[in-house]
Amino acid sequence: MDDEIQLISDGEGLAVIGDDRAVERFLAAEGLPSENLGLPRLSQTMAAGAGATQAAASISANSGRWVKLTKESAETVRKYGLRQNATSGVSTGVVKGSKGQIKGFVEFSKGGLLTNPAALAGAAGLMAQLAMQQTMNEITDYLDVIDEKVDAVLRAQKDAAVADMVGVDFVIEEALTIRRETGRVSDVTWSKVQAAALPIARTQAYALRQIDAIAERVESKQKIGDLAEVSEQAAAETHEWLAVLARCFQLQDAIGLLELDRVLDSAPEELDQHRQGVRAARQNRRDVIVRSTQRLIERLDAAAERANSKVLTSPSSSGVVVRSSNAVASDLGDFHRRLGIERDRDALEARRWRAAAGEVRDRAVASGASGFDAARQRGSAGFDRARGMGGRISGEVSSRVPRRRRSSEPEDG
């Protein structure tokens, strides 16, 4: 029989569903790394719901893998031309082949998972959860790399908006542990975390205000010495507040993951709409973070430009400003990538004092060349006049010297 691979893309990931061996061959042929989609868990959950027996059967007959959407996997989506579903917003399609060899692409499959709305919604919900889990893992790696003690930063703050955040992660981690053990999110488990969203949001807002305040301090300084001092402070403080923002985003994703499980368990018919709502809210959080951090880097870039223009008079301070700007830009670039935000910025290069001095020298030489020529011409004319005058003077002197000498000589006899 021909192999049949069902593909689903939600813009953040690609689900590959079908016979276990066929899925493995497809992923190997495309060179795509993947992880388990978790279809058995979805099948068990939907089988327990009323009227979902057919969807559960459709799911249990397949194996599924999830691929994070990168440039490579996005190319696979484009290559097979998946069609977007107007209701769910996900793109779907089927690839058919024989013995691992892909023959072609068809849009629909009789009796497949893609033709069952409940099964498709459930699979899309799993994909959303895996995307959030992937981001949570990325943020964990980010916090490990920067070696930032987020709890210590939070505890050091006296503001209640930040202090409330300290214990939230313990509550959420407990709920995630129960979910891993039981495979579901019960009413009791959900009741522990449903109030956690508010302190996280308050902490995120506070951290964003701190970043805005840093940007304003940088913009307010005009003297290069003051700018260097505040730029160094900005680099250190931004490093800390980005860690807090990353932790906020991670915990918000954890709540979203638990929330989707709760909806799947209690109201599976609402799962698709709820998934789209969670995704929209998640993108809004990204947009808010981008706006705030973009303002900061714009002000630091402007400060670096001002510092470069003063490199001759303040070489040390100018270098500090540019290095601090690049340090913040590097932190922001890594931070954005972990959150799935694509932003590019070329690092500014501090002008070396010698290079700047060379530019000034070249401009001076270029602008002074004509004046030098004119001065040389004037000097030549003056020399000629002086030489003519010198000739007359020397003639007069030579005519006088013999007379003086004759008057001083003794007379003969």
Side-chain angles (χ1 to χ4, degrees):
M1 294 179 63
D2 288 344
D3 294 334
E4 184 175 279
I5 303 297
Q6 301 173 74
L7 303 177
I8 306 173
S9 175
D10 63 353
E12 293 191 87
L14 174 68
V16 183
I17 301 170
D19 178 77
D20 187 50
R21 289 172 296 180
V23 169
E24 289 181 2
R25 286 195 295 266
F26 176 82
L27 292 171
E30 295 293 335
L32 299 175
S34 65
E35 57 183 277
N36 189 6
L37 182 60
L39 284 180
R41 181 171 63 88
L42 178 62
S43 176
Q44 294 169 5
T45 303
M46 298 195 74
T53 305
Q54 184 180 358
S58 176
I59 294 170
S60 62
N62 292 280
S63 173
R65 304 290 296 178
W66 181 80
V67 179
K68 181 182 179 181
L69 212 60
T70 61
K71 291 181 179 180
E72 293 75 15
S73 53
E75 181 58 34
T76 300
V77 173
R78 286 191 293 269
K79 179 168 65 175
Y80 292 112
L82 305 187
R83 276 71 163 177
Q84 188 174 36
N85 186 300
T87 303
S88 65
V90 299
S91 300
T92 62
V94 177
V95 175
K96 301 194 71 172
S98 179
K99 297 180 181 180
Q101 302 298 318
I102 298 172
K103 284 184 176 180
F105 176 87
V106 295
E107 185 174 359
F108 300 106
S109 174
K110 293 182 179 180
L113 182 145
L114 303 185
T115 59
N116 188 307
L120 181 59
L126 289 181
M127 294 174 66
Q129 288 179 313
L130 284 170
M132 287 186 283
Q133 184 63 62
Q134 179 73 24
T135 301
M136 290 165 63
N137 295 340
E138 290 280 345
I139 291 174
T140 297
D141 294 340
Y142 168 76
L143 295 175
D144 288 342
V145 168
I146 65 176
D147 193 27
E148 187 63 59
K149 305 299 184 183
V150 183
D151 288 343
V153 174
L154 293 174
R155 292 190 184 99
Q157 305 302 319
K158 297 179 180 179
D159 194 286
V162 182
D164 291 345
M165 174 79 172
V166 176
V168 169
D169 58 340
F170 293 106
V171 175
I172 293 176
E173 183 57 40
E174 180 181 336
L176 291 173
T177 301
I178 295 173
R179 172 183 179 267
R180 285 193 295 268
E181 294 296 325
T182 63
R184 60 189 292 265
V185 177
S186 65
D187 287 337
V188 174
T189 303
W190 178 244
S191 67
K192 295 180 179 180
V193 298
Q194 61 182 349
L198 180 58
I200 298 173
R202 290 174 64 192
T203 302
Q204 175 182 289
Y206 186 84
L208 289 171
R209 285 200 301 271
Q210 298 307 307
I211 290 179
D212 288 341
I214 294 170
E216 290 171 3
R217 288 203 305 271
V218 171
E219 188 177 32
S220 67
K221 302 301 180 183
Q222 297 300 321
K223 294 182 179 179
I224 297 301
D226 295 340
L227 195 56
E229 182 179 355
V230 77
S231 295
E232 278 191 313
Q233 293 174 353
E237 293 177 15
T238 301
H239 189 73
E240 294 180 354
W241 289 114
L242 288 183
V244 175
L245 281 177
R247 186 62 173 147
C248 288
F249 199 93
Q250 185 181 47
L251 293 175
Q252 287 164 330
D253 267 0
I255 291 177
L257 188 151
L258 294 167
E259 191 175 329
L260 287 177
D261 260 0
R262 183 67 198 130
V263 174
L264 177 62
D265 191 55
S266 60
E269 70 280 359
E270 299 177 6
L271 178 62
D272 203 49
Q273 288 184 332
H274 202 85
R275 173 189 63 81
Q276 295 183 58
V278 168
R279 182 177 180 181
R282 193 168 185 250
Q283 185 57 47
N284 287 339
R285 292 201 303 271
R286 285 187 177 128
D287 292 341
V288 169
I289 291 172
V290 166
R291 285 196 295 270
S292 184
T293 54
Q294 187 66 29
R295 283 194 294 268
L296 173 60
I297 199 60
E298 285 174 357
R299 282 156 178 77
L300 283 168
D301 281 351
E305 291 294 341
R306 292 204 307 273
N308 268 338
S309 68
K310 304 292 185 181
V311 68
L312 278 178
T313 56
S314 304
S316 178
S317 296
S318 296
V320 168
V321 174
V322 176
R323 285 192 297 272
S324 298
S325 174
N326 282 337
V328 173
S330 178
D331 276 352
L332 282 176
D334 194 17
F335 171 76
H336 284 167
R337 284 191 296 272
R338 305 291 184 170
L339 270 60
I341 300 169
E342 295 297 331
R343 284 289 184 276
D344 294 325
R345 174 190 178 274
D346 295 330
L348 292 172
E349 183 179 357
R351 292 169 60 194
R352 295 180 182 274
W353 190 92
R354 289 183 180 178
E359 291 178 10
V360 173
R361 178 199 60 204
D362 293 342
R363 288 197 300 269
V365 170
S367 62
S370 58
F372 176 76
D373 289 340
R376 184 174 60 182
Q377 292 173 1
R378 289 194 298 271
S380 297
F383 178 75
D384 291 340
R385 288 195 299 271
R387 185 172 57 182
M389 184 178 294
R392 292 195 297 273
I393 293 173
S394 62
E396 294 176 359
V397 170
S398 62
S399 63
R400 291 171 182 167
V401 168
R403 288 197 298 269
R404 288 176 181 174
R405 284 180 180 175
R406 284 194 296 269
S407 62
S408 63
E409 291 175 354
E411 293 181 358
D412 294 336

